[in-house]
Amino acid sequence: MTNQDIIRWLGLIADTLHENAQYLTELDSAIGDADHGTNMNRGFTAVRAKFASMEAMDMAGTLRTVGSTLVSTVGGASGPLYGTAFLRAGGAVAGKESLTPADLVAMLDAFLGGIVARGKAHTGEKTMIDALTPAVNSAKEALAQNASLAEITARAASAAEEGMKSTIPMLATKGRASYLAERSIGHQDPGATSSWFILRALAVVCAQQ
Ligand code: ADP
Ligand code: MG
């Protein structure tokens, strides 16, 4: 996994968020303020505009650029949350030209760590953490079984999908959705959904290696 593959991953995230902007916004309209799709699409459109300059960076530089771009372009909670995630992911791969399975799992762990550090949420609070935590745990389990990059990321994506679905019956206690209290129950969390898209895109890129 090289800087080129990271840029391919970012391109796929940008495509997916563009295609699903309306869907994410609909999810956010049920329990938030109907802007998650717009926010994420705006952020990754700005990231896409930097692909040419990212070609000349190393992967830590690319990931840190994603982080700072999301912080500065995405309004709403998700900008600083995903921004910190990508900044920390960049920190975890500093100096590396290509990622081993262990490096990639460390990168995912740092990504999740950034969101936890920034948002102080725990699992079960109906946020992106509920998709990302089981994903990182599955990636670690797969790594311990000497799985390939493709296998690790496929298992992470599938755990993220289950984690995303697990947010439906949850009561939101963090972010805007918490204002709804009991009325947040029965709706899938938009941020958990964008987290699944991000991990699914990673699995697709790793499957093509
Ligand atoms: P805003 O809530 O400011 O409108 P978005 O709509 O872009 O921002 O993002 C909402 C998503 O952010 C939620 O669906 C949830 O997954 C995530 N979120 C909100 N607060 C937190 C937090 N403290 N920790 C982790 N994720 C959070
Ligand atoms: Mg919102």
Side-chain angles (χ1 to χ4, degrees), residues 28 32-36 39 176:
D28 197 31
D33 57 352
D35 64 356
H36 189 59
N39 286 343
R176 269 177 212 284

Side-chain angles (χ1 to χ4, degrees), residues 185-206:
I185 292 172
H187 302 280
Q188 184 171 302
D189 180 60
T193 310
S194 56
S195 287
W196 171 56
F197 288 149
I198 289 170
L199 289 171
R200 189 180 63 172
L202 182 63
V204 169
V205 168
C206 288

Side-chain angles (χ1 to χ4, degrees), residues 28 33 35-36 39 74-78 81 115 119-121 126-129 174-176 189-192:
D28 197 31
D33 57 352
D35 64 356
H36 189 59
N39 286 343
V74 179
S78 54
L81 289 164
I115 293 181
K120 310 269 185 289
K126 201 179 184 92
T127 71
M128 29 184 93
I129 297 292
K174 282 281 187 308
R176 269 177 212 284
D189 180 60

Side-chain angles (χ1 to χ4, degrees), residues 2 14 37 42 97 168:
T2 62
R42 186 193 310 112
E97 289 297 319
I168 297 172

Side-chain angles (χ1 to χ4, degrees), residues 65-154:
T65 302
V66 176
S68 58
T69 305
L70 295 180
V71 169
S72 61
T73 59
V74 179
S78 54
L81 289 164
Y82 280 131
T84 309
F86 278 99
L87 287 169
R88 296 261 184 126
V93 302
K96 300 203 187 286
E97 289 297 319
S98 86
L99 299 184
T100 63
D103 294 334
L104 181 120
V105 173
M107 180 188 86
L108 291 178
D109 203 23
F111 185 96
L112 169 62
I115 293 181
V116 173
R118 184 82 206 193
K120 310 269 185 289
H122 301 100
T123 51
E125 293 190 292
K126 201 179 184 92
T127 71
M128 29 184 93
I129 297 292
D130 293 306
L132 292 169
T133 302
V136 170
N137 289 340
S138 292
K140 286 180 179 170
E141 275 169 35
L143 177 67
Q145 293 160 7
N146 289 318
S148 65
L149 277 181
E151 176 74 21
I152 290 170
T153 52

